[in-house]
Amino acid sequence: MQEPKNKNSKNTNPENPNPKGSKIERVLGIYKRLRDKDSVNKAEMAYEYNVDERSIMRDIEDIRSFLISNADRYGGKQLSVVHSNNHNGYVLLEDKDTQLTNSELLALCKILLDSRAFPEKEMFNLLDKLLICGTTKENKVLMEELIRNEKYHYIEPRHKTNFIDTMWKIGQAIKDCNLIEIEYLRVSDHTLKRRVLRPLAIMFSEFYFYLAAIIDDEKVHERFDIINDSNPTIYRMDRVKTLRVLKEKFHIPYADRFEEGEFRKRIQFMYGGPLQKVTFKYTGCDIDAILDRLPTAEITGREGDAYLVKAEAFGKGLQMWLGSQTKTISDIKFDNYSN
């Protein structure tokens, strides 16, 4: 855009002889440009709005004052308007502690794509929002180029179900301790089962999101393998076909609260069941692969080239996984000790 010859004088744009709108409209226009990750050149803005550059600088100061006094509206993040020589103008920045770097943003995009957690439309929508909010227009183009091939070959989950809104409602129910009523598609016989649940946690593992919950129905508990099993039941989120948040509350004493992090360490492939401990020998070349896969695993000793390992986990998932690792894992011994 052509700039006025005298940058410090009042702008006399012959194509726009009158100032463009009110001061409020001008400030909002500059603020929107900053929020859209565009740079603001004061000479260009003065020319566009047909005002002098001092007016634009006062507008920028007003925006700065607004951001300082309203930091709590942005989750405690301090946004600031600073001059950037690289952008030849003013840009909107977050505190370094809260602003994603380009490398961090790329890593998040790669993790999202590799998770295959969402249908294609939902996944691409999330990526677009992440890039728009997290980087400049120039870097967004570069970032899109870096993930273009993975997006082209993206394979969405077979269920093709959008469940983000359902997950949010369940999250609110967990926070407020509300019972929920769901209809759940049981894969074994492809029937819908109604359950009233005490929702405890939302977790992610192996391509899927899961709900951990306790069934609030004694008649259903009577059909369990373990009577009065206090461990939660696991439901795959995409198989929740209907959800109703009930007004009834549930209470779990603090001493008995659900420790999501500890539970997550002890469950493999989201199979429920009793807590078991296991010992085995590992003769592979990378013991870290075992320790990372099983967060509760500990090395108890060595026998020649073999590591002696013990761990604990809920349900049959660990047993299934260990059974598939026969080339490097042997002498597997389980001890069910949660009865």
Side-chain angles (χ1 to χ4, degrees), residues 110-119 123 153-159 163 204 206-209:
K110 294 284 188 178
I111 291 171
L112 264 178
L113 284 165
D114 195 49
S115 73
R116 291 179 52 206
F118 303 103
M123 174 64 77
H153 292 286
Y154 182 71
I155 300 175
E156 65 182 351
R158 291 173 60 85
H159 60 73
F163 53 85
F204 178 80
E206 307 289 340
F207 311 116
Y208 306 114
F209 283 92

Side-chain angles (χ1 to χ4, degrees), residues 196-254:
V196 175
L197 306 172
R198 303 176 197 172
L200 300 178
I202 295 171
M203 295 177 286
F204 178 80
S205 177
E206 307 289 340
F207 311 116
Y208 306 114
F209 283 92
Y210 295 86
L211 165 66
I214 294 176
I215 298 175
D216 197 59
D217 188 333
E218 294 300 327
K219 292 183 180 180
V220 175
H221 276 286
E222 290 175 0
R223 301 196 295 270
F224 281 17
D225 293 335
I226 302 175
I227 305 300
N228 298 323
D229 186 3
S230 61
N231 296 317
T233 304
I234 306 300
Y235 299 89
R236 227 173 77 179
M237 197 71 69
D238 59 279
R239 293 176 182 164
V240 176
K241 298 306 177 183
T242 66
L243 166 70
R244 189 162 66 97
V245 179
L246 306 179
K247 294 182 179 179
E248 291 85 353
K249 304 279 186 177
F250 64 92
H251 174 68
I252 297 178
Y254 183 79

Side-chain angles (χ1 to χ4, degrees), residues 138-318:
E138 293 81 2
N139 286 331
K140 180 177 181 292
V141 173
L142 173 60
M143 205 75 68
E144 288 175 337
E145 184 64 30
L146 291 172
I147 63 175
R148 187 184 308 279
N149 188 259
E150 286 170 280
K151 287 181 68 176
Y152 179 78
H153 292 286
Y154 182 71
I155 300 175
E156 65 182 351
R158 291 173 60 85
H159 60 73
K160 299 182 179 180
T161 302
N162 292 322
F163 53 85
I164 286 184
D165 290 340
T166 297
M167 187 161 61
W168 174 248
K169 291 176 182 177
I170 291 174
Q172 290 178 306
I174 292 171
K175 174 183 175 295
D176 297 332
C177 295
N178 283 96
L179 292 174
I180 62 174
E181 180 182 274
I182 68 170
E183 282 187 315
Y184 185 76
L185 179 63
R186 191 165 67 181
V187 177
S188 58
D189 55 8
H190 298 283
T191 60
L192 286 175
K193 296 297 178 182
R194 176 187 166 277
R195 294 285 184 263
V196 175
L197 306 172
R198 303 176 197 172
L200 300 178
I202 295 171
M203 295 177 286
F204 178 80
S205 177
E206 307 289 340
F207 311 116
Y208 306 114
F209 283 92
Y210 295 86
L211 165 66
I214 294 176
I215 298 175
D216 197 59
D217 188 333
E218 294 300 327
K219 292 183 180 180
V220 175
H221 276 286
E222 290 175 0
R223 301 196 295 270
F224 281 17
D225 293 335
I226 302 175
I227 305 300
N228 298 323
D229 186 3
S230 61
N231 296 317
T233 304
I234 306 300
Y235 299 89
R236 227 173 77 179
M237 197 71 69
D238 59 279
R239 293 176 182 164
V240 176
K241 298 306 177 183
T242 66
L243 166 70
R244 189 162 66 97
V245 179
L246 306 179
K247 294 182 179 179
E248 291 85 353
K249 304 279 186 177
F250 64 92
H251 174 68
I252 297 178
Y254 183 79
D256 299 328
R257 70 192 185 283
F258 181 66
E259 296 283 2
E260 180 180 346
E262 290 301 314
F263 182 75
R264 186 66 186 84
K265 292 179 186 177
R266 293 168 171 79
I267 191 162
Q268 301 297 318
F269 306 107
M270 291 298 162
Y271 278 85
L275 186 63
Q276 306 171 87
K277 66 180 178 181
V278 61
T279 58
F280 57 87
K281 291 181 180 179
Y282 174 72
T283 54
C285 60
D286 186 8
I287 186 61
D288 285 345
I290 298 297
L291 300 179
D292 287 337
R293 189 67 180 84
L294 306 175
T296 62
E298 297 178 18
I299 299 172
T300 60
R302 296 286 298 268
E303 281 188 7
D305 294 334
Y307 289 92
L308 305 181
V309 182
K310 69 175 182 179
E312 60 182 22
F314 288 100
K316 300 177 181 179
L318 178 58

Side-chain angles (χ1 to χ4, degrees), residues 127-139:
L127 290 170
D128 287 343
K129 289 180 178 179
L130 189 60
L131 294 180
I132 289 172
C133 296
T135 190
T136 63
K137 282 188 176 180
E138 293 81 2
N139 286 331

